[in-house]
Amino acid sequence: MDQLLFQIYRLSNNHIKVKKMKQIILKALSFALVVCAAVALNAQTITKDKIIYKLNSSTKTATVSGTEYVLEGAVTIPSSITSSGVTYKVTEIGENAFINGMMTSITLPNSVTKIGASAFWQCYDLTSISIPASVTYIGDYAFSSTGLKSVVIPNSVTQLGNYVFGNCTDLKSAVISNSVKTMGDDPLYQCTSLESVTIPSSAKGMEYFCQGCPLKELAYAEGCTSIFGTELTQDVTTVKLPSTATSIEDEAFISYINLVTINIPSSVKSIGASAFQGCENLTQINISEGVTSIGDQAFASSGLTSVKLPNSVTTLGGGVFEWCYKLKSVSLSDKLKSIENYAFYTCTSLTSIVIPNSVTTIGYSAFKDCTSIGTLILPEDAYVDKYFAQGAIIKVLDVPYSVSSKWTGEIVYYDLTIQNLIYRSGYLAEIVGAFYKYPKVEESLFVLDSHYEEFKSIDKYFSYDVRKISEFGRNEIGSVVTSIVGGKLHFESDVPFDNVSYKFQTKDACISEGTATAKDIDVPVDFTLYVTAEATKEGKLTALGTTTLPISHSLTPSADVNGDGKVSISDVTKVVNQILCK
């Protein structure tokens, strides 16, 4: 009791916070209860270094049940104690054992398997604790209202009680391992300084687990396979996924409005519907090789500016990038089968996209209201919905014979504005009727040479120039870009040109663009993956070149990085780290 009175006197003279006084008063009550219990169970308790242990003679184990005095500073619990010549293994921190204590740190032995309810409740000065890998259970309120700054729940723990770390207002980071299979209500309730948390699979379906936390970083524990959504949508800027993740569930991160970037590991096979919908500040996403399907509206209304899909992707859902107003460039998978309805609807900044020949279907309104597309080359043998690009504005549309022969005039031009159309159809009647009824071509129409005279005979009906395809640079890179030499692209064309506009898109979707009057154009490095080159003469389009490397065209040995005498995807791997955005 003298010790208790001394503590009250010390606190009052130093004007310590009122909560310190509360600690001492509550400790006095707790101490009285412990003393009474000790008297009643005299043969079953022992006190060592001011810590009271309850002994179990049958199991030779001991439970920390309380303290003799208010403990301060650093406290270490031994792994065993000896009484009357018998050694007892310390296996448990009992309920209320250190309640309202004044220790600053505590070290628990590897022998402890259980931490009881309210064991450290309102230990305001407790800033540090290392939970050993032997612990399997942590009870209700065990560390509630402590001064802990960080905590790691080891892989041994399988059960957490209610509000285990509730009101730990100094806690900044918490890691809860995936071994936790049962978790009580809101274990991190009102941890108002918490910035980073790692959560286990058992957090799925919880209404709250971190209510009132201003989180910036959300991580999923190693072992989580299905990535699920939480109530955290306003403050999180970074999400970290484990190497064990195999899927991202529907609406997992919907409306995470401050999310800036996320890396999708190669273990992930599918991204669910609306997984990142409404992430308006998500400007970059790195999707590793391995993802095969991306669900409906997965990135709709996000802030993405560029996208590079790995070649493992075979399926894109409807509206996958719709309303992505900032999206400028897209690199699609070479194994993609279809571009579904509304895929790029209202992507008004989209200027660069290469559709691979693997695509066999382009759906309804896939490019509706895309008003900035530079060059769009439709793939061979594809079925293209008649309303695939309503309201779109396309600078150059190249329609191969195998596509256009399936169309009618109405299909080609329904509510679509094209500056230059390269139309390779052999069906003259079809296109004459189409261009008469829907004159949406603004500059030039390139037709087969065999149809040129027929068109010229009725060109008075057209507000654009009808020109021969033979006058236009072939739709192969070799007709425009003949070599890459020392960091320069060298342009050649059958038709003389006075200037070239160009855009280089690298593997990581970096963009370099501009115009030049010379045939040699500086590029960021000796290797380029995506190129669109347009040649003009007297203001009119004369040649177009596009490609996706690796291709078979003339490159100097300087691009043969690995020295095998040829340019291939292995060379891409070698130089990708040299690629710079300019």
Side-chain angles (χ1 to χ4, degrees), residues 222 224-225 227 241-248 262-271 286-293 310-313:
E222 284 294 326
C224 290
T225 56
I227 304 304
L241 304 183
S243 61
T244 53
T246 58
S247 65
I248 299 174
I262 185 170
N263 294 322
I264 309 296
S266 58
S267 57
V268 172
K269 304 304 179 188
S270 63
I271 299 174
N286 299 313
I287 304 175
S288 298
E289 191 81 23
V291 174
T292 59
S293 66
N311 285 331
S312 55
V313 175

Side-chain angles (χ1 to χ4, degrees), residues 159-177:
Q159 186 173 351
L160 289 181
N162 298 314
Y163 304 97
V164 173
F165 298 100
N167 289 301
C168 290
T169 55
D170 293 326
L171 189 64
K172 291 187 176 181
S173 68
V175 176
I176 304 175
S177 73

Side-chain angles (χ1 to χ4, degrees), residues 348-409:
T348 53
S349 298
L350 182 62
T351 60
S352 175
I353 184 168
V354 177
I355 302 176
N357 279 327
S358 59
V359 170
T360 58
T361 303
I362 298 178
Y364 177 83
S365 295
F367 294 95
K368 178 178 170 60
D369 294 335
C370 293
T371 54
S372 301
I373 295 178
T375 301
L376 188 64
I377 302 173
L378 300 180
E380 299 283 348
D381 297 315
Y383 169 78
V384 182
D385 188 279
K386 63 181 180 180
Y387 301 118
F388 86 103
Q390 301 173 72
I393 299 175
I394 301 173
K395 185 174 183 180
V396 180
L397 178 64
D398 194 327
V399 183
Y401 173 83
S402 56
V403 171
S404 56
S405 63
K406 298 178 183 179
W407 288 358
T408 67

